[in-house]
Amino acid sequence: MSKSAGCCKRFLHYAFDYETPKTLVIPSLGVGFVFRFTQFLVVMYVGIDWYVCVVQKAYQDTDTVISTVTTKVKGFAFTNTSDTEPRFWDVADYIIPPQSDHSFFVLTNMVVTPKQVQSHCPELPSPSTTCVDDCNCVEGRSDPRGNGIQTGLCENYSTTARTCEVLSWCPLEIDTKLPEHALLVAAENFTVLIKNSITYPKFNFHRRNILPHVNSSYLKRCEFSRLTDPHCPIFRLKHIVSEAGEDFQDMAVKGGVLGILIDWSCDLDWWAGECLPKYSFRRLDNKHPVNNVAPGYNFRFAKYYKAADGEETRTLIKAYGIRFDVIVFGTAGRFSIVPTIVNLGAALSFLSLVRREMFRLASV
Amino acid sequence: MSKSAGCCKRFLHYAFDYETPKTLVIPSLGVGFVFRFTQFLVVMYVGIDWYVCVVQKAYQDTDTVISTVTTKVKGFAFTNTSDTEPRFWDVADYIIPPQSDHSFFVLTNMVVTPKQVQSHCPELPSPSTTCVDDCNCVEGRSDPRGNGIQTGLCENYSTTARTCEVLSWCPLEIDTKLPEHALLVAAENFTVLIKNSITYPKFNFHRRNILPHVNSSYLKRCEFSRLTDPHCPIFRLKHIVSEAGEDFQDMAVKGGVLGILIDWSCDLDWWAGECLPKYSFRRLDNKHPVNNVAPGYNFRFAKYYKAADGEETRTLIKAYGIRFDVIVFGTAGRFSIVPTIVNLGAALSFLSLVRREMFRLASV
Amino acid sequence: MSKSAGCCKRFLHYAFDYETPKTLVIPSLGVGFVFRFTQFLVVMYVGIDWYVCVVQKAYQDTDTVISTVTTKVKGFAFTNTSDTEPRFWDVADYIIPPQSDHSFFVLTNMVVTPKQVQSHCPELPSPSTTCVDDCNCVEGRSDPRGNGIQTGLCENYSTTARTCEVLSWCPLEIDTKLPEHALLVAAENFTVLIKNSITYPKFNFHRRNILPHVNSSYLKRCEFSRLTDPHCPIFRLKHIVSEAGEDFQDMAVKGGVLGILIDWSCDLDWWAGECLPKYSFRRLDNKHPVNNVAPGYNFRFAKYYKAADGEETRTLIKAYGIRFDVIVFGTAGRFSIVPTIVNLGAALSFLSLVRREMFRLASV
């Protein structure tokens, strides 16, 4: 071997990957195939790398959203059914409780039991409450499915039925006569203004769902629509329910829970103006009647009154309605040195490892 | 060296790890020891790798749960103590406020101050409110620990004590006479139905705590029990409190906050039917009397009445009770290419690095 | 080459990094420069490594906080303005609703409309409600910006204006006469005790914002101050608002939402006693009048009364006030083998890769 040839060899040795000359000295179909296959793998690796680092934003540090919500419902209704007196309803009547953190309840149907007082009355007829005489009733017994504490007497509930008398708020509520059509059908045209402020504390990033470019006159007349007004924070209840794939009139009869989901997922490496809320709507309770104890959504509350003689009476209301839960979620990402090194390093090192193994295999 | 021997050597060189032949050519006790030690390390590495990738599920992408809760308490009680009138209590009486997002408050004890009107009355006796004559009282002064704004007069509170008169809701509440035994002891037998829907938005995974295989008749009669009915969503309050290691009767006197924790941590790579809620219970406030201002849990609210002459009276209620906070948490994991590459790559590369260093050390 | 020299060379070859002798055999200014530059890079790598692993705590597993909050406001006020009757206010009057999960609302200003009954009355004058005669009013029409359902009559609203009569709660609320100075200015001196218990479920770590070393007598008299009492859980409302950079009197007029942020970010590798809450305060709604429908924070609620003849009347209250949202957040970290291996491995492997490439470049 001449000196220049040795020098040249050494140069080649340094200039290229130290495995490369070794594969070249073994001319073989198998090795050639492996070589090409390895080239393909390298290309694939670059693809995965690109996917990991760019598409999945693995170079970013992330933070979870902190949020505050206020809601304001507008609208009024007039009800005049055969069962109830004509009545006008405004926001103070149908929003219960009047203010809440991140949800609001709109009354749509109800069973009202007025003029209840603490007293005695015969139970509602059922297999466990009917009686023939006082012997069937035990003083002090309280049936969990009943409505009060038995006094030990058997009384006439109606001309045909005798039931055990109970100590309770009387008259008892008869909630089987729920109106088939929701009382406040007009509620579907109520609107709600949702004000939502968010913070990503790690990035000291604050934002509101009322965008900076939106002016006051627009806000006075706009209404959310995915196509024409995607950033208007005023929602018609009917629209929310129909976007969730439900029918307002159906849902209003027995009530339900409807989620207003606001997604604030953002890439803060880009222009922050692009960090916009994305609204979506989903029914959160189960509407299917299977496996359903207490379908829909309802709760009981009472208005207490005191007569001139000091006796307390109450109006019991079993309120059916739609609870709208405003659920704010999201993760923001911003470039950070740590995940970049971790992810890039891991990906590259892994690839380099695999490549080395491939070459070793190829060189055999 | 013959040709075949050289070929064999070359083959060996290619077939095995390139360091291996080198360590073999230095016969030495130390090197031998290091060689075995390295083998041990490699085995350990495989263990760590397995731990990182399989046990810790480092190959999964994760998401945090989004949840909605509705609760419905059932039960009634009858109270008849020496202090108060006999009274029947149902859900509209003891759940305050009637509906809430993910908590419910059950009234168990209280101090009632009926027939309060806006007027003047002598303060409750205390070192700062007792007086001898009007000179001790300053008109307009409001002591933060007092109950109203002083009128400047000194009045007889009782036959033995004179205190400064204040402008306030009179008569003043005397909350030192809290019943030693909770008024609504029967509350321990109330039951609560908790309906919980969860979503992992990243995986578009929805689920309820009422499981699909559960039928309606089971739900009507079941009651949560860790052993026999671990998936029944109906809980007896006494059971919740005792699982938290507390005594209901004790807790009911001064109130408290009790957490109903629902853990939805799931591995979505497995059969999704395995994603089940795990319930646990924990007292969240501090029951120990040390460092305790305002131990327990209570708040004041009032029922307002209007007399025929238009005068407003109110019944002030200092309500003691247990607030049950339903806290839903959990993280779901599902296979994802990014964490797999990152974690596998990092682990493998790290190990390969360490191994190389070990061998270099060994070869010295 | 003598045998000893070959042996020595071989020893050197094994003892040091295998690239090092090779760069040394090429004496060249460029290579020397690259060699030094590489040394600089290695030092820098150590710096990044240190940063990733120590400063950013990349060796820790993390968990998100789970929290419960109870609040108790103290204080009373006396109002005596020209518009309203003298009135004494205590906690049952100005906290609405009386209890809530992690927020509390303090009433500071209001528009009261007493003695409303379901009846007919002329609308408030506005371009869309004024009329000349009955022909301008349509029976059954309900203007979303109006206050009720038109009866079809045109009535005298005042001596100068005629408006359409509506079916509504009458008399109508006139909310344009909001007092310029907040009614309950004294609310700034109310104090709130915030009890906050947190849990990091993954680490089974529980903690309260009332610290163990704090004694009961201190809690009875202390008041939060960033300098002197940074761990006192009793906050004066005025102090909260001023720390958020706002003026209480300004904010009290139209209301607002104020965040009390409690940061529980902790490094659990250190003495857990160091895991302390950090309080900060921020206004969460937008105070600027631009883009502002319904600035501030208010809601309507009603107190319902029943007259002796059974007629229901209500007092409608448009309540302006400050909603204090207690927002608890934080992430705890504790040493864990998985992120340590992942991060350390990734960083080291990445660096080793880069170093190898640098040397290869240098050797050219």
Side-chain angles (χ1 to χ4, degrees):
Chain A
M1 213 183 277
S2 71
K3 204 182 172 182
S4 69
C7 179
C8 184
K9 195 178 146 197
R10 204 166 68 190
F11 173 76
L12 283 169
H13 182 62
Y14 283 99
F16 300 100
D17 207 337
Y18 67 94
E19 280 104 347
T20 314
K22 291 177 181 168
T23 52
L24 288 175
V25 295
I26 303 183
S28 135
L29 195 73
V31 169
F33 170 75
V34 170
F35 182 64
R36 294 297 165 204
F37 180 65
T38 310
Q39 280 185 327
F40 163 74
L41 283 178
V42 169
V43 170
M44 208 185 72
Y45 297 154
V46 172
I48 293 176
D49 255 31
W50 180 80
Y51 176 75
V52 168
C53 292
V54 177
V55 177
Q56 294 271 342
K57 299 196 181 112
Y59 55 84
Q60 289 188 331
D61 195 11
T62 57
D63 195 10
T64 308
V65 76
I66 283 176
S67 141
T68 316
V69 171
T70 63
T71 58
K72 185 157 202 152
V73 179
K74 281 209 170 164
F76 47 81
F78 182 74
T79 60
N80 192 3
T81 64
S82 54
D83 301 333
T84 57
E85 284 176 30
R87 192 184 161 95
F88 173 82
W89 299 80
D90 70 3
V91 79
D93 297 319
Y94 61 69
I95 299 291
I96 306 152
Q99 78 106 353
S100 192
D101 274 0
H102 41 255
S103 74
F104 58 97
F105 172 84
V106 178
L107 182 79
T108 54
N109 209 359
M110 57 180 168
V111 175
V112 182
T113 315
K115 291 175 195 158
Q116 283 193 326
V117 288
Q118 298 262 345
S119 95
H120 308 263
C121 48
E123 260 281 14
L124 303 181
S126 86
S128 65
T129 57
T130 48
C131 56
V132 179
D133 56 29
D134 294 355
C135 303
N136 300 119
C137 304
V138 181
E139 194 185 337
R141 187 207 279 168
S142 72
D143 179 7
R145 274 179 242 159
N147 294 291
I149 285 107
Q150 293 188 6
T151 58
L153 302 176
C154 187
E155 299 278 332
N156 290 326
Y157 177 78
S158 63
T159 51
T160 57
R162 281 172 70 84
T163 58
C164 292
E165 192 194 56
V166 288
L167 197 75
S168 185
W169 284 100
C170 291
L172 297 177
E173 180 195 75
I174 304 165
D175 64 353
T176 49
K177 290 205 303 179
L178 179 69
E180 267 182 48
H181 293 283
L183 193 68
L184 266 84
V185 288
E188 65 179 19
N189 284 319
F190 296 169
T191 57
V192 59
L193 164 65
I194 297 177
K195 291 205 261 182
N196 176 216
S197 299
I198 61 120
T199 300
Y200 285 108
K202 208 189 268 181
F203 306 132
N204 196 28
F205 181 84
H206 310 292
R207 209 157 187 94
R208 299 163 65 226
N209 69 332
I210 301 178
L211 304 176
H213 64 79
V214 164
N215 63 39
S216 194
S217 67
Y218 172 72
L219 278 177
K220 279 217 172 87
R221 56 172 178 76
C222 79
E223 191 184 310
F224 176 84
S225 156
R226 206 164 285 284
L227 292 175
T228 59
D229 296 81
H231 298 306
C232 175
I234 297 167
F235 303 83
R236 193 166 292 268
L237 299 193
K238 188 184 189 174
H239 185 80
I240 293 176
V241 174
S242 75
E243 278 237 357
E246 303 286 329
D247 179 65
F248 193 94
Q249 297 306 328
D250 271 7
M251 203 167 168
V253 177
K254 292 222 157 189
V257 183
L258 213 139
I260 300 173
L261 288 84
I262 310 183
D263 183 359
W264 278 97
S265 294
C266 285
D267 181 354
L268 299 185
D269 286 335
W270 300 96
W271 183 48
E274 287 300 306
C275 185
L276 300 174
K278 281 171 283 296
Y279 301 98
S280 60
F281 311 98
R282 239 174 61 76
R283 183 162 185 174
L284 297 173
D285 65 325
N286 196 22
K287 66 168 175 172
H288 303 297
V290 189
N291 305 346
N292 230 349
V293 279
Y297 185 66
N298 64 71
F299 59 88
R300 283 185 182 84
F301 72 99
K303 292 180 194 169
Y304 295 88
Y305 305 103
K306 210 164 232 172
D309 60 354
E311 196 192 32
E312 193 176 26
T313 66
R314 71 172 195 184
T315 297
L316 178 67
I317 294 155
K318 184 171 184 182
Y320 293 80
I322 305 177
R323 194 178 84 188
F324 293 87
D325 284 8
V326 183
I327 299 174
V328 181
F329 67 102
T331 308
R334 185 179 271 180
F335 173 80
S336 169
I337 191 74
V338 175
T340 305
I341 284 186
V342 167
N343 288 290
L344 193 68
L348 282 180
S349 309
F350 181 55
L351 303 185
S352 114
L353 199 90
V354 174
R355 200 184 48 169
R356 201 158 61 221
E357 299 302 317
M358 290 311 299
F359 272 111
R360 192 178 304 159
L361 227 76
S363 62
V364 178
Chain B
M1 216 182 273
S2 70
K3 204 180 173 184
S4 69
C7 179
C8 184
K9 195 178 147 198
R10 205 166 69 190
F11 173 75
L12 284 169
H13 183 63
Y14 282 99
F16 301 100
D17 208 338
Y18 66 95
E19 280 102 349
T20 314
K22 290 177 181 170
T23 52
L24 288 176
V25 296
I26 303 185
S28 134
L29 194 73
V31 169
F33 170 76
V34 170
F35 180 63
R36 294 296 167 206
F37 180 67
T38 309
Q39 280 185 328
F40 163 75
L41 282 179
V42 169
V43 170
M44 208 186 73
Y45 297 153
V46 172
I48 292 176
D49 254 30
W50 179 80
Y51 176 77
V52 167
C53 291
V54 178
V55 177
Q56 293 271 342
K57 300 195 180 111
Y59 55 85
Q60 289 187 332
D61 194 11
T62 58
D63 195 10
T64 308
V65 75
I66 283 175
S67 141
T68 316
V69 172
T70 64
T71 60
K72 185 157 202 154
V73 179
K74 279 208 171 165
F76 46 81
F78 182 74
T79 59
N80 191 2
T81 64
S82 54
D83 301 332
T84 57
E85 284 176 31
R87 192 185 161 95
F88 174 82
W89 298 82
D90 70 3
V91 78
D93 297 321
Y94 62 68
I95 299 290
I96 306 153
Q99 79 106 355
S100 192
D101 274 0
H102 42 253
S103 75
F104 58 97
F105 172 84
V106 178
L107 183 78
T108 55
N109 208 359
M110 57 179 166
V111 175
V112 181
T113 315
K115 291 174 195 159
Q116 284 193 325
V117 289
Q118 298 260 346
S119 95
H120 307 263
C121 48
E123 261 280 16
L124 303 181
S126 86
S128 66
T129 58
T130 48
C131 58
V132 180
D133 57 31
D134 293 357
C135 303
N136 299 119
C137 304
V138 181
E139 195 184 338
R141 187 208 278 169
S142 72
D143 179 8
R145 274 178 242 159
N147 293 290
I149 285 109
Q150 294 187 5
T151 58
L153 302 177
C154 187
E155 299 277 332
N156 289 327
Y157 177 77
S158 63
T159 51
T160 56
R162 283 171 69 83
T163 58
C164 291
E165 193 192 55
V166 287
L167 197 76
S168 185
W169 285 100
C170 292
L172 297 176
E173 179 194 76
I174 303 166
D175 65 352
T176 50
K177 289 205 303 179
L178 179 69
E180 268 181 46
H181 294 282
L183 192 69
L184 267 85
V185 289
E188 65 179 18
N189 284 319
F190 295 168
T191 57
V192 60
L193 163 66
I194 297 176
K195 291 205 261 181
N196 176 216
S197 299
I198 61 119
T199 300
Y200 285 108
K202 209 188 269 180
F203 306 131
N204 196 28
F205 181 83
H206 310 291
R207 210 158 188 94
R208 298 165 64 228
N209 70 332
I210 301 177
L211 303 176
H213 65 78
V214 164
N215 63 39
S216 194
S217 67
Y218 172 72
L219 278 178
K220 279 219 173 84
R221 55 171 179 76
C222 78
E223 191 184 310
F224 177 83
S225 155
R226 206 162 284 286
L227 293 175
T228 59
D229 296 81
H231 297 307
C232 176
I234 297 167
F235 303 83
R236 193 165 293 268
L237 298 194
K238 188 185 188 173
H239 185 81
I240 293 176
V241 175
S242 75
E243 279 237 356
E246 303 286 330
D247 179 65
F248 193 93
Q249 297 306 328
D250 271 7
M251 203 168 168
V253 177
K254 291 222 155 190
V257 183
L258 213 139
I260 300 172
L261 287 83
I262 309 183
D263 183 359
W264 278 98
S265 294
C266 284
D267 181 354
L268 299 184
D269 285 335
W270 299 96
W271 184 47
E274 287 301 306
C275 185
L276 300 173
K278 283 171 283 294
Y279 301 98
S280 61
F281 311 98
R282 240 174 61 75
R283 183 162 185 174
L284 297 173
D285 64 325
N286 196 23
K287 65 168 175 174
H288 303 297
V290 189
N291 304 348
N292 230 350
V293 279
Y297 184 65
N298 65 70
F299 60 89
R300 284 184 182 85
F301 71 98
K303 292 180 194 169
Y304 296 87
Y305 306 104
K306 210 163 231 173
D309 59 355
E311 195 192 32
E312 193 176 27
T313 67
R314 72 172 196 184
T315 297
L316 178 66
I317 294 156
K318 185 174 184 181
Y320 293 80
I322 305 177
R323 194 178 84 189
F324 293 86
D325 283 9
V326 183
I327 298 174
V328 181
F329 66 102
T331 308
R334 184 178 271 179
F335 174 79
S336 171
I337 191 73
V338 176
T340 305
I341 284 188
V342 168
N343 288 289
L344 193 68
L348 283 180
S349 308
F350 180 55
L351 303 184
S352 113
L353 198 89
V354 174
R355 199 183 50 168
R356 201 159 62 219
E357 298 302 317
M358 288 312 298
F359 272 110
R360 191 179 305 159
L361 226 75
S363 63
V364 178
Chain C
M1 214 181 274
S2 71
K3 204 181 173 182
S4 70
C7 180
C8 182
K9 196 177 144 195
R10 204 165 69 189
F11 173 77
L12 283 168
H13 183 63
Y14 283 100
F16 301 100
D17 207 338
Y18 67 95
E19 280 104 345
T20 313
K22 290 177 181 171
T23 51
L24 287 176
V25 294
I26 303 184
S28 133
L29 195 71
V31 169
F33 171 75
V34 171
F35 180 63
R36 295 296 167 205
F37 180 66
T38 310
Q39 280 186 327
F40 163 75
L41 282 179
V42 169
V43 170
M44 209 186 72
Y45 297 154
V46 173
I48 294 177
D49 253 32
W50 180 82
Y51 176 77
V52 168
C53 291
V54 178
V55 176
Q56 294 270 341
K57 300 196 180 108
Y59 55 85
Q60 289 188 332
D61 194 11
T62 57
D63 195 10
T64 308
V65 76
I66 282 175
S67 141
T68 316
V69 172
T70 64
T71 58
K72 185 158 202 153
V73 179
K74 280 209 169 164
F76 46 81
F78 182 75
T79 58
N80 192 3
T81 63
S82 52
D83 301 332
T84 58
E85 284 177 31
R87 192 184 161 95
F88 173 82
W89 298 81
D90 70 2
V91 78
D93 297 320
Y94 62 68
I95 299 291
I96 307 152
Q99 78 108 355
S100 192
D101 274 0
H102 41 253
S103 74
F104 58 98
F105 173 83
V106 178
L107 182 79
T108 54
N109 209 359
M110 56 180 167
V111 174
V112 182
T113 316
K115 292 173 195 158
Q116 283 193 326
V117 289
Q118 298 260 346
S119 100
H120 308 263
C121 48
E123 262 280 14
L124 303 182
S126 86
S128 66
T129 57
T130 47
C131 57
V132 179
D133 56 31
D134 294 357
C135 302
N136 299 119
C137 303
V138 181
E139 195 184 336
R141 186 208 280 168
S142 71
D143 178 8
R145 274 177 241 159
N147 294 290
I149 286 107
Q150 293 188 7
T151 58
L153 302 177
C154 187
E155 299 278 331
N156 289 328
Y157 176 79
S158 62
T159 50
T160 56
R162 282 172 70 84
T163 59
C164 291
E165 193 193 55
V166 287
L167 198 75
S168 185
W169 285 99
C170 293
L172 298 177
E173 180 194 75
I174 304 166
D175 65 352
T176 49
K177 289 206 303 179
L178 179 69
E180 268 182 47
H181 293 282
L183 193 68
L184 267 86
V185 288
E188 65 178 19
N189 284 319
F190 296 169
T191 57
V192 60
L193 163 66
I194 297 176
K195 291 205 261 181
N196 175 217
S197 299
I198 61 120
T199 300
Y200 285 108
K202 208 189 269 180
F203 306 131
N204 197 27
F205 180 84
H206 309 293
R207 207 156 190 96
R208 299 164 64 227
N209 70 332
I210 301 178
L211 304 176
H213 65 77
V214 164
N215 63 40
S216 192
S217 67
Y218 171 72
L219 278 178
K220 279 218 172 86
R221 57 172 176 75
C222 79
E223 190 184 311
F224 176 84
S225 155
R226 207 163 284 284
L227 293 174
T228 59
D229 296 80
H231 298 306
C232 175
I234 297 167
F235 302 83
R236 191 166 293 269
L237 299 194
K238 188 186 188 173
H239 185 80
I240 293 175
V241 175
S242 74
E243 278 236 357
E246 301 287 329
D247 178 65
F248 193 93
Q249 296 307 328
D250 270 8
M251 204 168 168
V253 177
K254 292 223 156 188
V257 182
L258 213 139
I260 300 174
L261 288 84
I262 309 185
D263 182 0
W264 278 98
S265 294
C266 284
D267 180 354
L268 299 184
D269 286 334
W270 299 98
W271 184 49
E274 288 301 305
C275 186
L276 300 174
K278 282 171 282 298
Y279 301 98
S280 60
F281 311 98
R282 240 175 60 76
R283 183 162 186 174
L284 298 172
D285 65 324
N286 196 22
K287 66 169 175 172
H288 303 298
V290 189
N291 304 347
N292 231 351
V293 278
Y297 184 65
N298 64 71
F299 60 89
R300 283 184 182 83
F301 72 99
K303 294 181 193 168
Y304 296 87
Y305 305 104
K306 211 164 232 174
D309 60 355
E311 195 192 33
E312 194 177 26
T313 66
R314 72 172 195 183
T315 297
L316 177 66
I317 294 155
K318 185 173 184 181
Y320 293 81
I322 305 176
R323 194 177 85 189
F324 292 87
D325 284 9
V326 183
I327 299 173
V328 182
F329 67 102
T331 308
R334 185 179 270 179
F335 173 80
S336 169
I337 192 72
V338 176
T340 305
I341 284 187
V342 167
N343 288 290
L344 192 69
L348 282 180
S349 308
F350 181 53
L351 302 185
S352 112
L353 198 90
V354 174
R355 200 183 49 169
R356 201 160 60 219
E357 297 304 316
M358 290 311 298
F359 273 111
R360 191 180 305 158
L361 227 75
S363 63
V364 178

